[in-house]
Amino acid sequence: MHGLMQDQPLLISSLIDFAERHHGDGEIVSRRVEGDIHRYTWADVAGRAKQAARALDTLALARGARVATLAWNGYRHLELYFAVSGSGRVLHTLNPRLHPDQVVWIANHAEDEVLCFDMTFLPIVQAIHSRCPGIKRYVALCDSAKLPTDSGVPNLVAYEDWIGSQPKSYTWPKLDENTASSMCYTSGTTGNPKAALYSHRSTLLHAYAAALPDVMCISARDAVLPVVPMFHVNAWGIPYSAALTGCKLVFPGPALDGKSVYELLEAEGVTYSAGVPTVWQMLLGHMKAGNLKFSTLKRTVIGGSACPPAMIASFRDDFGVEVLHAWGMTEMSPLGTLCTLKNKHTALPEAEQMKLRLKQGRAIFGVDMKIVGDNGEELPWDGKTYGDLLVKGPWVIGSYFKGEGGDPLVDGWFPTGDVATIDPEGFMQITDRSKDVIKSGGEWISSIDIENIAMAHPAVAMAACIGMKHPKWDERPIVVVVKRPGAEVDADTLKGFYDGKIAKWQIPDDVVFVDAIPLGATGKMLKTRLRELLKDYQLPTTV
Ligand code: AMP
């Protein structure tokens, strides 16, 4: 027997309709690329998102067409989140930190047809447009006064002109809830990047779950500043959970230095924030140097890479802010676990509580997880045994866009590539990652890309790239090189060889020359062994 409740699809357009109707005067504050502070309301977001949806309709874009963005966290980007997905197109958030060659590859693979960009990223657009023949419209997120006449970018229009003449009324299409809504590419650990393609249903369920008290705990009484970029896994879903709760949103734009973030947190009464450890390191450094305190910030989610214990302690002891350690990935929309204590833990001594808070946390309802051994056998939840972490759930990837990489699932479970323990209370802790990519400042660096470039140098016989702990960026890459017999090259020349081939921040900090790189039985480089050999190595202090 079927239930007799209304059958309504879970759609992203319903989020903005809700925010407009029930929190119409709720504030959205943005530090703009233009430098000033912009403020308006959820009702304004809704009206302008409808104008943008109409503007997309004028381009005769089919349902499912990809509309890309290269943009900071800001109000126009937020409007596109609702306009693009709500009108049945797919929002493709491109990562502006990638090298233009990578952006070209990804935009062409995604078959992007429109590219909306902040003026900061005009140089990227100028570098790529001739190699992206599928993009038929470029939209600069500014008004026409800010649009240069000689940019060289074809079919370029200012966003304010583009949407300005459109009416603020629009009937959102009633889509199937499984319709694709947005996409985000992961860095390719083996080969090219692959895209996670989210649906309206997965996004809505994730937004519900993310707002729960034991997850991000976002409410209508919060003012939320997502530092985590809207170009990385939809800013961890915060824009959607924000519309669902009607909280105030505060966007930092391009100014992510400690001083700018601190001033915005204070000026806007921010209660809640989210970001990778690197950003918080800059913020805490600024605050400690100036002996500053928070007057409103209560909680912050930290994830993307392991949060250092000292950071959790400093937030709590020096600044009275609770850190919520979170784990997830692009393939998981992204939230998988979040570390909040159970009632019985609140009576534990502080040191015991701290041990729990360092873990990546408990599974969120909607995500099931397990750890398995080499033969796929499930391992015990004893907090000691570690194994490959597998997950499943309605916002976990089923397959990659265009089927890249084949079927990623193992008996219906997605292997995360992370290695973890799970304790008897269900607290998961990442002990390592099985992939060898390097994470610097919250962004992946593909070790294979770095190695491939080094190997292209005539004096290099073999190259292995590994990450080294760095106090500011978490990890920085170094490349370990075996020279060809009789060939000569020095470290500076080899570092110079990377110029223009990858983004500057991806260039290895050092080149270490060795006689041989340890190889495994199948001829693969043994990076674990290499790390052991280099355990006393120190990164150059100039970086
Ligand atoms: P991405 O898809 O770029 O968001 O990266 C996902 C990966 O980041 C995960 O598979 C983990 O390896 C790593 N990661 C995310 N959050 C954490 C965390 N809290 N602690 C340790 N590693 C993390």
Side-chain angles (χ1 to χ4, degrees), residues 76 115-119 122 138-143 146-148 156-160:
R76 293 177 179 125
L115 174 55
C116 306
F117 62 96
D118 272 331
M119 285 304 281
L122 178 63
Y138 290 89
V139 181
L141 297 172
C142 61
D143 56 31
K146 293 274 181 324
L147 201 63
L156 177 63
V157 65
Y159 180 74
E160 296 301 334

Side-chain angles (χ1 to χ4, degrees), residues 192-207:
N192 284 319
K194 301 193 279 287
L197 186 61
Y198 312 111
S199 70
H200 286 258
R201 174 186 158 81
S202 71
T203 305
L204 265 273
L205 291 175
H206 184 272

Side-chain angles (χ1 to χ4, degrees), residues 185-187 232-233 236 302-307 325-332 334 337 358-360 416-419 430 432-435 439 442-444:
Y185 277 73
T186 65
S187 298
H232 186 64
V233 212
W236 297 350
I302 301 187
S305 52
C307 182
H325 196 190
W327 168 84
M329 56 197 310
T330 307
E331 288 89 337
M332 299 177 69
T337 63
L358 292 180
K359 299 194 175 194
Q360 276 72 9
T416 63
D418 288 324
V419 177
I430 305 274
D432 205 350
R433 44 181 186 259
S434 45
K435 21 188 186 199
K439 207 159 197 190
E443 298 283 338
W444 288 122

Side-chain angles (χ1 to χ4, degrees), residues 433-451:
R433 44 181 186 259
S434 45
K435 21 188 186 199
D436 278 315
V437 292
I438 295 144
K439 207 159 197 190
S440 180
E443 298 283 338
W444 288 122
I445 296 176
S446 163
S447 52
I448 294 171
D449 280 356
I450 307 263
E451 288 158 10

Side-chain angles (χ1 to χ4, degrees), residues 7-8 10 47 69 82 85 145 148 164 181 188 226 237-238 241 249 278 314 354 359-360 363 389 453 494 496 521:
D7 184 13
Q8 291 198 10
L10 301 173
T69 59
F82 296 107
S85 308
S181 57
I238 289 174
S241 294
L249 264 181
T278 316
S314 179
M354 192 59 171
K359 299 194 175 194
Q360 276 72 9
L389 180 63
I453 293 171
L494 213 46

